[in-house]
Every structure is written in structure tokens, then in C-alpha cells.
Amino acid sequence: MLDLFAFGDTGWGDELARGLAVTLALAATCFTVGVFAGLLLMLVRRKGRFSRAIVEFYVTIFRGVPELLVIYLFFFGTGIMVRSIAASFGYTDHINLSGFFLAALALTCITAAYSAEVFRGAAASIPQGQMEAARAFGFHPAKAFRLVELPQLLIVAVPGLGNIWLILLKDTALVSLTSVAELMRQSAVAAGATFRPFTFYAVAALIYFVISILSERGVSRLERRIAINEAH
């Protein structure tokens, strides 16, 4: 049994390790960019009725459409769109887009939509009187947001962002259907080659479980540290 997970030519340890690295890189990239984009969407929503309608439409679409369908639309549709744009400029050579890039783009858009809602809820919990006081002291709106609202916004949003990270971590398994060689894809290849599907899928489930437990503990520790700092 252990020989199946050995490193080198005799086992699948190398492949599973590379798949885990791709999974973590994909999740970390999409979470970082998606959270930043979600914060921007929250700010754009405040710019007026039209901007708010655009952001709400975006959020509704990416929260309402199944994640797998979004991934498929990006995976198959982006190439068509890019080739059409290139052809309009006279470029007819084959354009090969990275599967990792397309998967990251799809998951980032989904993460941004959920993050925007988390930040919107967090912002609603911050008393408006603080921003009014900052403006009364002559703070520029951007400076008031950076010094007064943003620190509190990030603190309140930590639990929600932690949940988004856990959801995103599991959603990375969906990109295996587009041939991105992450953990789930490598497990499927190993299962097919060795005719031991239960063994490899159980190991993959255990790896996801361990990462989720470590993530939850990290978020809980961060929340406790924030609570201690606020108490002082």
C-alpha cells in the first residue's frame, strides 16, 4: 500500500505533491486577487446608482451561477473571444491559453463576488459617525477610508473571508475537469492507472481535510488575536 505513495518512478507521491502545490498556488492566487477585487467592487458600489446596479448585477451572476458552469464558460469561451479579437486585427495563428490561467480567472471572479458581499456587510456594521467625524477634521475621503474605515473593515470581515477561503479551497477540485493538474486531477490519474480509486480519492480527501483544519485554526487564531488587541 505504501509503495503506491512512494516518491520516484515506483509510486505516485511526486504527482500528488505537485498536484497539492498547484492546488495551493491556485487557491492562494485567486483568494488574494479576489479579495482585493471584492474590496474594489464594494467601493465602486458607492459611486452612484448606475455603479451600484453594475456591481449588484455582477455579484448576482457570479453568486447565482454554479461554479463549475462558470469555470466551463471561462475555459471554453475565453479562447473563442481572444481568437476572435486577434482575428479582427489580422492575427490568425493559433493562440493557446494556459489552463491554470483560465481556472484562476474564473475562480477569482467568483471569489471577488463573494468578497464584495462580505465587505458590504462589514461596512454596514461600522458606525457612519466615524467617517463623518473624519471628514469634519478635514480628512480627504480616500485618507478617511484608509485610516478610519479600512482597518475596521478588515477586522470585521475576517470570519467571512475565512469561509470564502475554505469554499475556494474546495472549489479548486472543480478545475480538474478542465485538465488542470491539481490534486484532484492527479488523484484521478493515479486511480485510473492503478485501479485503486478508493485509495487515492480517500488520500485526496484526507489532504483536503487537513488543509481545511489548519486553515480553520489559523483563522480562529487570527480572530482571537484581533479580539485581544481590541480589548487593549
Side-chain angles (χ1 to χ4, degrees):
M1 178 69 71
L2 294 178
D3 292 341
L4 291 173
F5 302 99
F7 286 83
D9 297 334
T10 60
W12 292 88
D14 307 73
E15 288 78 5
L16 294 180
R18 286 195 295 269
L20 176 59
V22 172
T23 292
L24 294 177
L26 182 62
T29 300
C30 297
F31 183 77
T32 302
V33 180
V35 168
F36 180 74
L39 182 60
L40 293 180
L41 287 174
M42 186 271 291
L43 295 175
V44 171
R45 181 181 250 151
R46 299 176 174 179
K47 296 299 182 181
R49 182 177 300 176
F50 179 74
S51 298
R52 183 169 61 253
I54 294 295
V55 172
E56 289 177 353
F57 177 77
Y58 173 90
V59 170
T60 301
I61 289 295
F62 281 97
R63 293 181 69 205
V65 176
E67 286 85 350
L68 180 58
L69 183 55
V70 173
I71 292 171
Y72 276 155
L73 290 174
F74 272 81
F75 190 81
F76 296 107
T78 305
I80 296 174
M81 182 179 65
V82 171
R83 285 190 290 271
S84 298
I85 294 174
S88 66
F89 288 96
Y91 186 84
T92 57
D93 291 345
H94 178 70
I95 300 176
N96 186 25
L97 298 177
S98 166
F100 182 91
F101 170 77
L102 295 176
L105 185 60
L107 292 178
T108 296
C109 290
I110 296 170
T111 303
Y114 282 95
S115 298
E117 286 299 288
V118 169
F119 284 125
R120 183 182 67 84
S125 68
I126 300 174
Q128 290 298 315
Q130 296 185 16
M131 295 297 290
E132 294 174 359
R135 287 192 292 269
F137 279 102
F139 281 33
H140 187 274
K143 184 178 181 181
F145 172 78
R146 179 170 56 86
L147 297 180
V148 178
E149 185 177 13
L150 182 59
Q152 300 179 76
L153 192 66
L154 294 176
I155 290 174
V156 176
V158 164
L161 295 179
N163 289 333
I164 290 176
W165 164 256
L166 293 175
I167 293 172
L168 175 61
L169 189 63
K170 293 185 293 184
D171 284 346
T172 57
L174 297 175
V175 307
S176 64
L177 299 177
T178 60
S179 73
V180 176
E182 44 70 69
L183 178 60
M184 190 65 187
R185 177 67 177 177
Q186 296 286 27
S187 300
V189 172
T194 60
F195 301 102
R196 304 288 290 271
F198 179 81
T199 300
F200 282 97
Y201 289 140
V203 169
L206 179 61
I207 293 173
Y208 281 113
F209 177 74
V210 170
I211 297 173
S212 297
I213 290 296
L214 294 176
S215 299
E216 288 183 350
R217 289 185 177 181
V219 173
S220 298
R221 181 174 298 179
L222 180 59
E223 291 178 2
R224 288 195 298 269
R225 182 172 297 180
I226 289 173
I228 291 173
N229 291 337
E230 287 184 332
H232 291 291

